[in-house]
Amino acid sequence: MLCEKCVPMFQSSAWADHHPDLTSFTNAAASGCYICEPLLQYALKKSGALEKCIVKPYKYRVYRSEAGTQIIVDMIMLKDGKETKDCRAFLAIPSPKLTTDFSIRNRISAIPLLDASRTAQRWMSDCLNGHEQCQKNTQPRSYPTRLLELGESTIRVILPAEEKLSGPYATLSYCWGPNPTFLRLTVSNLQELQLGIPCSDIPIAFREAIHFIKCLSIRYLWIDALCVIQSGPGSTKDWRSECNKMQDVYSNCIVNLSLSRAAHPNESCLGGCTPNATLPFEVETTGIVGDGESEKCTCTILSWDYFREAIYDQPLGFRAWALQERLLSVRVLSFGLGELFWDCVQVPNACESFPYGLENLSDLFRLSDKAIPNSSDGGKLRSVWWRILEEYVDRELTYPEADKLVALSGIASRMESAMDDVYIAGHFWRTLPYSLNWQVQPPLAAEKRREKIPRRINGPAKKNKDESQNKTPSWSWASMDGPLFVDTGRYNSLADAEAYTLALVDERNLTGQIVSASLKIRAYYAEIEWTQGRPVILGQPRTWFDDIYFFQVNIDDPDDRLAEGTRCWLAALGEDHWLGKWEGLVLKEVEIEGIASQALLEK
């Protein structure tokens, strides 16, 4: 239902006032208005207090387009003692264009197991029997080193190489949570788990996942916590060995279950919708769709934030490992906010509300890629890589020092093959040197989900080259922990990459951890000096406009403080042909024991 202030939004294309005050707003939310109830929760989250949710009347705007009509509610709240403007947007789509199930909002609490199982079975059947673009994996090309065999009420760890298995297996993506205490595979309990344990010994989220797997007639399941040795003698060697196989583990599974809603395995993944969930609804509109001001149309109303709230901003959506697991798996069944979500190559971004996906609207909502495209177009593949990379660095890793490159290695390997290129410490050879132009604080940057300040993972280069440390080079984005920005679209290159060196921790994993890496580039440069806390270009640079120039340096890590009088090199990478500016790197010379004959620079 809609309140009296929301009904007019859909009856005219005119802009108008929404709620004038807090009383009107809260009464509408309490009545269950499909727009105002979640809108109030959003305002509470942003402002921090009920009385700060509305300080001036809300208004709304209506914009027509071919894809659908956009309705924007403008909000003015109070935050930190200042008026803050925000907005929430909705899209009105003619209902015949989109297959929608509106019954999800009638669920009282958790996702009903029986209904959800039937939905999952239908998606699986449609994909396996009717999707030409989707790999079947009913008989995988290879099996993981270990799997869980699912019994009636027990599970046991098996070695597929010794069991001569037949049939598919599933994988699990989930959040470990802080300081995990749930049962994991160790050297000491390996034999016990191979004999079998009751399902009651494992966390509730794992038990719920096993229920779904068995409903899909799948006998085997891979869970990293129970299939990779987590502690004891030889566990590090086992972890590295299994990391090398991660691409195959997910690529060969028949389906990946993504427990998006659970913050840890001891929490149920079947939670219902919350009051802040903006679920789709249907309404009769007049004059906002079509050509005439009196034209009527039945429309589905969808919040622009629907997928972000329901799946992307759930706990698992912030974990870096989960991105690789999602992209490498042929099919992904996710437990989101109050409903199931489905992704496969042919039908991405489906859910119980939209069982066949958004069809041609996915790009409009800028939804995440499901798969690496089967294309030989280098430009298209590079664009996909930049999007994946920006999403990846906006996610969390518990151990960024060890996992920053490893947690993306399967995707990097797949992209390396697709682009027929060489992967070097987070970069592809043909994208160098302009791909070095990643930034932590670019101008006019899009909003990132994490407010975390990016920090250098490795710290300054160590004097002793033999010190045990992560040696990811400073010029790699993987040397930073935190959200970054990659802008490669409008630059004319001013530099060339000439050579590189790369030494890996494990020579079998060409996209994993590295011991050392260096890059040789040829570029225009200038010498600068750190004076009174800021950089100054030495000498008088020749410029095309009366010797006037603007020079700005952004430090990647605020803790990277340069001493007074420190001299560095400014290396130009490219020219922004829109703004007529040059961008590049600030490089400082470092000395490393045993390599004194060479001048080495760090970013």
Side-chain angles (χ1 to χ4, degrees):
M1 58 87 66
L2 294 175
C3 69
E4 62 179 10
K5 295 296 183 181
C6 288
V7 169
M9 291 183 188
F10 307 103
Q11 302 305 316
S12 169
S13 60
W15 299 10
D17 291 339
H18 192 230
H19 285 291
D21 52 45
L22 183 61
T23 301
S24 172
F25 188 22
T26 53
N27 286 341
S31 71
C33 174
Y34 292 160
I35 288 179
C36 293
E37 184 178 15
L39 195 66
L40 177 61
Q41 296 300 317
Y42 178 80
L44 273 169
K45 181 180 178 181
K46 288 291 184 177
S47 66
L50 184 63
E51 64 274 12
K52 298 178 182 179
C53 287
I54 176 170
V55 294
K56 289 183 178 178
Y58 286 4
K59 300 179 183 295
Y60 65 83
R61 295 169 279 151
V62 181
Y63 297 94
R64 292 186 178 187
S65 70
E66 291 183 7
T69 296
Q70 186 175 194
I71 300 100
I72 300 175
V73 179
D74 292 310
M75 313 163 68
I76 302 180
M77 301 170 283
L78 199 64
K79 184 176 182 180
D80 300 327
K82 298 179 181 179
E83 288 188 4
T84 302
K85 294 182 179 180
D86 208 329
C87 67
R88 297 287 269 180
F90 304 85
L91 192 67
I93 308 162
S95 291
K97 291 185 177 181
L98 204 59
T99 302
T100 310
D101 181 353
F102 298 104
S103 67
I104 307 304
R105 68 167 51 252
N106 297 326
R107 289 178 176 171
I108 298 174
S109 55
I111 298 174
L113 284 170
L114 184 59
D115 291 349
S117 298
R118 288 171 178 165
T119 300
Q121 289 169 349
R122 184 174 69 251
W123 277 327
M124 281 289 291
S125 177
D126 289 348
C127 186
L128 291 173
N129 297 319
H131 292 178
E132 295 180 358
Q133 300 175 32
C134 298
Q135 186 175 310
K136 304 310 176 191
N137 284 357
T138 51
Q139 182 55 49
R141 294 187 299 271
S142 64
Y143 287 102
T145 304
R146 304 179 190 90
L147 280 172
L148 297 176
E149 184 180 56
L150 311 181
E152 187 65 31
S153 59
T154 62
I155 59 169
R156 73 181 183 101
V157 173
I158 61 172
L159 302 175
E162 298 178 4
E163 299 274 344
K164 296 181 180 179
L165 295 191
S166 178
Y169 69 91
T171 55
L172 200 67
S173 292
Y174 62 97
C175 292
W176 279 58
N179 306 312
T181 58
F182 58 89
L183 179 67
R184 285 152 287 165
L185 180 65
T186 65
V187 172
S188 60
N189 67 13
L190 175 58
Q191 186 174 3
E192 178 188 359
L193 266 67
Q194 286 180 316
L195 292 174
I197 60 170
C199 288
S200 56
D201 286 356
I202 61 176
I204 183 172
F206 290 177
R207 297 198 300 271
E208 290 168 343
I210 286 173
H211 171 87
F212 269 80
I213 290 297
K214 291 164 75 172
C215 284
L216 297 174
S217 301
I218 299 170
R219 268 186 81 191
Y220 306 108
L221 176 62
W222 188 88
I223 305 177
D224 60 351
L226 296 172
C227 294
V228 179
I229 298 175
Q230 302 296 323
S231 64
S235 59
T236 300
K237 181 180 179 181
D238 190 67
W239 180 82
R240 284 180 178 165
S241 175
E242 294 307 301
C243 280
N244 294 345
K245 302 172 184 176
M246 209 63 73
Q247 180 182 354
D248 291 334
V249 168
Y250 286 96
S251 296
N252 282 295
C253 73
I254 194 169
V255 66
N256 172 253
L257 263 68
S258 181
L259 310 186
S260 302
R261 186 77 188 277
H264 50 77
N266 289 316
E267 179 178 302
S268 171
C269 61
L270 302 176
C273 284
T274 56
N276 65 327
T278 311
L279 293 170
F281 61 91
E282 198 169 49
V283 66
E284 295 297 326
T285 69
T286 303
I288 68 169
V289 174
D291 299 325
E293 290 296 326
S294 61
E295 185 170 339
K296 296 185 180 297
C297 180
T298 302
C299 288
T300 296
I301 309 302
L302 178 59
S303 166
W304 281 105
D305 298 299
Y306 170 69
F307 279 89
R308 180 183 60 79
E309 292 172 342
I311 190 75
Y312 298 145
D313 281 1
Q314 293 303 308
L316 190 61
F318 289 92
R319 303 306 301 172
W321 280 97
L323 178 62
Q324 173 170 264
E325 295 160 5
R326 175 176 167 274
L327 286 173
L328 293 177
S329 303
V330 179
R331 285 165 282 272
V332 180
L333 180 63
S334 302
F335 297 82
L337 185 62
E339 60 181 314
L340 293 184
F341 287 75
W342 171 269
D343 282 283
C344 63
V345 175
Q346 196 158 324
V347 182
N349 306 307
C351 58
E352 291 181 89
S353 290
F354 302 104
Y356 300 103
L358 294 183
E359 301 174 12
N360 61 342
L361 295 174
S362 292
D363 290 340
L364 188 65
F365 279 84
R366 299 189 67 184
L367 300 180
S368 296
D369 295 297
K370 168 59 194 85
I372 296 166
N374 183 18
S375 172
S376 58
D377 184 337
K380 181 178 181 180
L381 290 168
R382 284 191 291 273
S383 294
V384 169
W385 170 249
W386 303 134
R387 288 201 302 272
I388 291 172
L389 188 55
E390 284 206 343
E391 182 176 352
Y392 176 72
V393 296
D394 201 22
R395 293 174 175 232
E396 294 278 1
L397 282 166
T398 304
Y399 304 106
E401 298 85 356
D403 295 348
K404 196 68 177 186
L405 287 170
V406 177
L408 194 67
S409 62
I411 295 175
S413 179
R414 184 79 65 85
M415 291 296 298
E416 184 178 43
S417 176
M419 294 195 293
D420 190 23
D421 207 340
V422 179
Y423 187 71
I424 309 158
H427 297 267
F428 289 99
W429 176 249
R430 293 196 187 105
T431 70
L432 290 166
Y434 66 81
S435 64
L436 298 174
N437 194 35
W438 51 266
Q439 305 173 52
V440 297
Q441 293 177 323
L444 305 177
E447 181 182 355
K448 293 295 183 179
R449 297 189 304 166
R450 288 202 287 163
E451 296 182 357
K452 180 175 182 176
I453 298 174
R455 299 287 183 181
R456 183 79 64 188
I457 293 174
N458 303 341
K462 297 293 190 296
K463 264 195 132 178
N464 186 348
K465 66 174 179 150
D466 294 323
E467 279 189 44
S468 177
Q469 59 166 324
N470 186 340
K471 302 287 181 62
T472 307
S474 61
W475 44 264
S476 172
W477 55 264
S479 67
M480 301 295 296
D481 180 32
L484 305 174
F485 303 81
V486 181
D487 190 354
T488 59
R490 27 175 236 269
Y491 289 92
N492 296 320
S493 180
L494 296 172
D496 294 304
E498 296 190 341
Y500 71 91
T501 66
L502 180 66
L504 300 162
V505 171
D506 186 342
E507 293 296 335
R508 295 170 300 173
N509 189 354
L510 302 179
T511 55
Q513 292 176 311
I514 61 179
V515 174
S516 65
S518 67
L519 183 65
K520 181 180 179 181
I521 66 172
R522 182 179 297 274
Y524 296 100
Y525 71 94
E527 191 174 10
I528 62 175
E529 183 177 87
W530 223 256
T531 303
Q532 297 180 352
R534 65 185 185 87
V536 176
I537 296 180
L538 299 179
Q540 292 296 321
R542 299 178 63 86
T543 61
W544 61 272
F545 185 67
D546 296 332
D547 292 335
I548 296 174
Y549 65 93
F550 176 73
F551 176 49
Q552 178 181 347
V553 169
N554 293 324
I555 301 298
D556 293 336
D557 187 329
D559 291 335
D560 287 347
R561 302 187 185 279
L562 297 176
E564 181 75 9
T566 299
R567 292 198 174 188
C568 302
W569 300 102
L570 179 65
L573 291 178
E575 180 183 25
D576 184 330
H577 56 74
W578 283 6
L579 302 177
K581 66 176 181 177
W582 286 20
E583 292 190 355
L585 309 176
V586 174
L587 304 171
K588 183 179 70 171
E589 189 168 347
V590 294
E591 294 181 4
I592 298 180
E593 187 179 314
I595 324 182
S597 61
Q598 300 180 14
L600 297 180
L601 304 172
E602 69 174 0
K603 181 176 182 291

